[in-house]
Amino acid sequence: DAALYSILQNVSCLQIHSSVANPQLPRHTIEEALSDSLVVTQTKSGINTLTVGAKTDHADDDKMETRFKKDSSCPVEADEQEEVAAFLLSSLALTNRPIITSEQEAMELATLTSEEQAEILSDTFGDFCIVSSHHKKRARLAHDPNSVAFLLRQMLLEVEAIPKTKKRALLEALSKGQKEQFSCERLEKFLRCEGMNAKLAAQRLVNYWEGRRKVFGDDKYLLPMTLAEALKDDLVALDSCVYTLLPYPDRSGRQILYMDPHRHSRKGYTSESMLRAIWYVSEVTAQHNNDNSSAIVQCCWFQNASLFDYDLKVFDRWAHFLSNCWPIKLAANHLCCPSAVVNRVVIPIVHTFVSKEWRARTLTHNVPVENILEVLAKFGIEENMLPVEMGGSVQNHQVEFLRNQRAVELQEI
């Protein structure tokens, strides 16, 4: 730790520059990153090294090098430097993937087709965006009962075609009487989430059950997804308010998920318990969601968050489940008021966990706290929909969420 601290004392600020192994980046950018920089090197075996000022012409094929260059516009305080070093090493050891750089993200956006661009705009702005003809056609398909019924049959045929060894959890759920989990209404959510693509929806359904078994274990994953049964040991994690469903949808009728990493105290619960709590919130969101595309929006409140509020192990699994398992689609991800360190270090590392489609729908709002409501209003998220800590009017949102869920679950008994 002392060695890492002494190294970082010479680095006044960290900025993620580029992966040397990426041949698509301009050569001058790579050369700039090689000079007077902090370098984290990974090999395929997961070995990490931390050096300063190293110079090489090319990285080996089995290595990933991430360079954090000086940048006077984003200072890292002295008491944060040791935490930054530890965070970088632990997170890179977990991901074993190269950092997604700003140059790579720009390249991704530049390769989008006009239809993809229109869909992203429609997702991020909701009903307040002019959608493409392709998007309108898909929406008409989703509204046609005959088309939906046909696609549901196609989806079930696709499920049948998946080898039994890859859908054991789903088959066990069927054999143990989980019939309500396979209603037409429920299956339609998976279909809409995948843009009415029967093959993709079938795979998402299979992924859902495999993921549910991994998160809850063989003894709990077939229990009803309620506070009194599957979640009875995870109430402390739920009460932490790290991840919750806000009571009011946005102006396009989409549910709003709210995340506040600063509340992740890890007191009284484990990372596994937090992941089960997140699964439950996402399950409730899917049940409440009446949006035609199963789309949701997410607001992440980063104002008070520090490096070690982020449990990257949990985030990695959560990102996988949201992208590939749950019957909800992330339409827009709003990262609100991150600190300089979070903006420069955490967010680029987090982007290694998520897909290109997710990155394209992520908006980072580096604005003063007093301006965040004005910014979010442009996307159909207004003051009365947001919690008080963001300047909104929703109070005790997690308490109300859990109280309402208990009432709903008691009525269903």
Side-chain angles (χ1 to χ4, degrees), residues 145-160 184 187 191 198 202:
N146 293 326
S147 296
V148 171
F150 171 77
L151 289 171
L152 283 172
R153 288 193 293 271
Q154 289 298 113
M155 176 183 167
L156 293 177
L157 290 174
E158 293 289 353
V159 170
E160 188 175 353
C184 289
L187 295 178
L191 192 60

Side-chain angles (χ1 to χ4, degrees), residues 35 51 68 91 108 175 251 317:
S35 175
T51 57
F68 299 85
S91 61
E108 287 177 351
S175 68
R251 285 190 291 170
R317 303 309 300 151

